[in-house]
Amino acid sequence: MSDDVTHHTTTSLPIGIGDLARHSGCKPETVRYYERIGLLPEATRSEGGQRRYDARAVRRLTFIRHARDFGFSIEAVRELLKMADHPEMPCDEVDALAKHHLAEVESRLRRLKALRDELERMVTQCEGGRVESCHIIEVLSDHRLCHQRGEHGGSSALR
């Protein structure tokens, strides 16, 4: 990770948790959580007990946040951070982890497409009227009426 992060901060370092959270796009609760689970090293404390963060913490939290935005799991982020902490290593493992994640994203997209197609079909075939004869309710009540077999994607496609 680049050592030049002063462009991310408009205040002098070290900074408090609120500034760190703002600079990285996280909430202070998220910063505390990442500290608790060991993704972010525990902050030093001021004489008054307030957390104080340096440029390294800003870089690390920005990395974590960006990796999470890409949908990497906490465990994958943990692995990526381990690798990023050893820049002399070959990047084969990073590449393999990213390729695995890409395959998962592509799988989710296929399931979401199937979900969209099935929802579109249900909505199109619904003729309005009463709930007792609603095609959407019928399909949701009987999976055999779906054109797609198996899981449609739904909430599981987002995981």
Side-chain angles (χ1 to χ4, degrees):
M1 290 182 271
S2 168
D3 282 332
D4 183 24
V5 295
T6 52
H7 67 277
H8 288 292
T9 60
T10 56
T11 61
S12 61
L13 297 171
I15 58 175
I17 194 168
D19 285 334
L20 177 65
R22 267 189 299 285
H23 292 302
S24 64
C26 291
K27 294 181 179 176
E29 299 82 35
T30 305
V31 175
R32 288 186 204 96
Y33 171 70
Y34 289 154
E35 281 184 17
R36 210 171 33 256
I37 66 170
L39 287 183
L40 195 61
E42 208 170 296
T44 59
R45 299 283 180 150
S46 68
E47 285 184 25
Q50 293 181 326
R51 288 174 165 89
R52 305 306 291 164
Y53 299 93
D54 59 11
R56 187 169 186 263
V58 174
R59 283 191 306 276
R60 192 167 184 93
L61 185 57
T62 300
F63 180 96
I64 294 166
R65 172 63 190 234
H66 201 197
R68 295 292 288 151
D69 285 348
F70 269 90
F72 284 98
S73 68
I74 293 290
E75 282 311 307
V77 172
R78 190 180 308 280
E79 289 302 309
L80 288 166
L81 285 167
K82 281 182 197 173
M83 292 181 258
D85 287 341
H86 296 92
E88 71 285 350
M89 288 178 50
C91 68
D92 299 356
E93 291 180 48
V94 175
D95 191 48
L97 199 144
K99 284 179 179 176
H100 176 75
H101 184 57
L102 176 59
E104 289 176 345
V105 168
E106 288 172 342
S107 174
R108 274 185 253 145
L109 286 171
R110 283 190 296 276
R111 291 191 316 266
L112 283 170
K113 183 185 178 310
L115 173 65
R116 182 200 65 210
D117 292 349
E118 193 64 38
L119 282 168
E120 214 169 57
R121 190 181 68 75
M122 285 180 356
V123 168
T124 301
Q125 290 180 358
C126 186
E127 297 173 358
R130 298 168 106 43
V131 171
E132 66 189 0
S133 61
C134 177
H135 183 70
I136 296 168
I137 297 294
E138 288 175 24
V139 172
L140 292 175
S141 299
D142 187 350
H143 189 62
R144 294 173 299 177
L145 297 175
C146 292
H147 284 184
Q148 306 287 328
R149 295 294 180 227
E151 251 185 78
H152 298 300
S155 61
S156 67
L158 301 174
R159 289 184 216 137

